[in-house]
Amino acid sequence: MASISKLSTPISAPSPFSSRNSRSSLPSNSFIAFRPSSDSCLNLFASRLSVRRSSHLTGSLVVKCSQGDGNGIPTKRTVLHDLYEKEGQSPWYDNLCRPVTDLLPLISKGVRGVTSNPAIFQKAISSSNAYNDQFRELVQSGKDIESAYWELVVKDIQDACKLFEPIYDQTDAGDGYVSVEVSPKLADDTEGTVEAAKWLHKVVSRPNVYIKIPATAACIPSIRDTIANGISVNVTLIFSVARYEAVIDAYLDGLEASGLSDLSRVTSVASFFVSRVDSLIDKLLEKIGTPEALDLRGKAAVAQAALAYQLYQKKFSGPRWEALVKKGAKKQRLLWASTSVKNPAYLDTLYVAPLIGPDTVSTMPDQALGAFIDHGTVSRTIDSNVSEAEGIYSALEKLGIRWSEVGSQLEVEGVDSFKKSFDSLLNTLQDKANSLKSASSH
């Protein structure tokens, strides 16, 4: 296939919604430390990520340790283990690059899955030499640039899937997934997205791969049809409760249309974006400028997420769902995406700590993951104050902020951002290919 895109809770926090508390003014020079390795994602993690420390801590924390694993062997245990074992939330890592073996220390710290997107691969491939040898071979064999891109990506996804397969097996297909996204050029192409999902699922050929499909209006039917084909899906770029409900219905419709007697291996997550919601709504609130409006800054995203969880509980109950459960169906878990804090005035765990609850996933990039490992607290928070969330949601509407318009704008921006990353990477690869050809001709 020449071109797939051408296919037809914080300590002492007063409330999970009280986000205007600044981070403590403590030394910011403690780092997450991992073993060094060349060309490593985790070297970047260690060198770039500065994590705030709680006031009662001294020294540089790596992890919080337990005494042993029962066999006299010291094991390092982090809050990520507690997050899963005590509250039923799976911590995933929102990043991927070579060598994928650099994920092993994170897996030992409790990470249970990986998400990727075009922006992540753009950064990984364009800033690393680890892809050069394979890319050179692909170019020399006559592969076009986009085909070469997909081969680079598929290798990373396959290798990462292998690392997480034990978790997938241990949880009976409940966890341990690695996500790869269809071309962002297909965001408005219903049939092309289905064909791309089939192709990616086939070439990756790993049981624990999630094919990412955006929750655009055109791709809602694609989600249904992909699920109906027995392919597990990570639905991405969800920015509103209304669109989220359409995503759930697409999943249920797909399961019912599959004709499978055993649905236990067809699973899904719904990636509900968080911090980007605050980034946009905060600007609207500042434009309004009243004390009431300014007081709502940094509260919209978590409030909407809490209401999404209420919808999740409602939709995955009752006769329709129970009929699917009898065939082995698993709930489509809510996944909190875009969990990095973009406003430095906010708590660095703002989009992780208030969104802890059973049957959910939190996918964290370096900043959020490091902050939560360092000083995160594990307790169920997602539905601890639903009435307050409803109040915030309504208050924003009364100020003239239309949730549907916010969702639509963020969706367009998200798709455009991924398209730009995709095009930028293809241009970078084309330049590399030209350099290789030039060098070989001299």
Side-chain angles (χ1 to χ4, degrees), residues 202-417:
K202 182 178 180 180
V203 295
V204 173
S205 190
R206 296 290 185 274
N208 55 325
V209 65
Y210 267 143
I211 307 303
K212 286 181 85 170
I213 297 175
T216 58
C219 286
I220 294 297
S222 312
I223 296 159
R224 178 198 63 216
D225 293 350
T226 302
I227 292 291
N229 276 287
I231 297 170
S232 296
V233 175
N234 176 342
V235 184
T236 188
L237 295 177
I238 305 172
F239 295 100
S240 70
V241 175
R243 184 53 58 86
Y244 172 47
E245 184 164 16
V247 167
I248 297 174
D249 289 338
Y251 177 60
L252 298 175
D253 290 345
L255 290 176
E256 290 168 342
S258 71
L260 295 170
S261 57
D262 179 11
L263 296 171
S264 63
R265 290 296 185 271
V266 187
T267 70
S268 182
V269 292
S271 294
F272 203 97
F273 279 55
V274 195
S275 68
R276 293 191 198 182
V277 173
D278 274 346
S279 295
L280 175 54
I281 289 184
D282 281 2
K283 291 177 184 176
L284 299 175
L285 292 169
E286 286 165 5
K287 189 175 181 180
I288 294 169
T290 63
E292 180 189 9
L294 297 177
D295 187 56
L296 289 170
R297 287 178 296 176
K299 298 179 181 179
V302 170
Q304 183 180 225
L307 299 185
Y309 189 74
Q310 294 298 300
L311 178 63
Y312 159 81
Q313 291 181 308
K314 176 184 175 183
K315 298 286 283 189
F316 288 100
S317 62
R320 183 186 187 189
W321 176 241
E322 290 306 320
L324 289 167
V325 170
K326 289 177 182 177
K327 293 185 177 182
K330 292 181 169 71
K331 295 176 181 178
Q332 180 188 54
R333 291 185 296 171
L334 257 172
L335 179 150
W336 309 122
S338 181
T339 55
S340 61
V341 174
K342 295 173 174 60
N343 186 334
Y346 296 161
L347 293 166
D348 54 4
T349 56
L350 173 61
Y351 302 114
V352 180
L355 300 177
I356 296 174
D359 301 323
T360 59
V361 178
S362 181
T363 188
M364 295 172 264
D366 294 339
Q367 175 213 42
L369 185 67
F372 196 75
I373 287 175
D374 182 73
H375 51 268
T377 301
V378 173
S379 64
R380 179 166 175 164
T381 52
I382 184 59
D383 47 11
S384 62
N385 205 332
V386 176
S387 61
E388 187 174 356
E390 291 171 340
I392 291 167
Y393 193 90
S394 299
L396 288 159
E397 287 186 321
K398 288 175 183 175
L399 288 171
I401 292 173
R402 301 283 174 259
W403 284 97
S404 59
E405 293 174 7
V406 168
S408 296
Q409 181 177 335
L410 288 170
E411 180 184 296
V412 169
E413 290 175 358
V415 170
D416 285 349
S417 174

Side-chain angles (χ1 to χ4, degrees), residues 6-19:
K6 296 175 185 176
L7 284 168
S8 308
T9 313
I11 298 171
S12 303
S15 158
F17 302 107
S18 301
S19 60

Side-chain angles (χ1 to χ4, degrees), residues 10 17 34 38 61 67 81 87 103 118 129 134 147 167 173 190 235 295 304 316 332 342 348 415 440-441:
F17 302 107
F34 296 97
S38 60
L61 272 188
Q67 296 302 310
H81 295 101
E87 298 299 338
L103 292 167
N129 293 324
Q134 185 188 1
S147 295
I167 294 174
T190 303
V235 184
D295 187 56
Q304 183 180 225
F316 288 100
Q332 180 188 54
K342 295 173 174 60
D348 54 4
V415 170
S440 63
S441 65

Side-chain angles (χ1 to χ4, degrees), residues 165-224:
E165 199 168 337
I167 294 174
Y168 175 85
D169 291 339
Q170 291 159 13
T171 58
D172 190 28
D175 220 342
Y177 288 91
V178 179
S179 297
V180 59
E181 192 159 344
V182 298
S183 169
K185 295 179 182 180
L186 298 168
D188 296 316
D189 184 345
T190 303
E191 289 304 317
T193 295
V194 175
E195 293 305 312
K198 289 179 181 177
W199 181 82
L200 263 178
H201 181 259
K202 182 178 180 180
V203 295
V204 173
S205 190
R206 296 290 185 274
N208 55 325
V209 65
Y210 267 143
I211 307 303
K212 286 181 85 170
I213 297 175
T216 58
C219 286
I220 294 297
S222 312
I223 296 159
R224 178 198 63 216

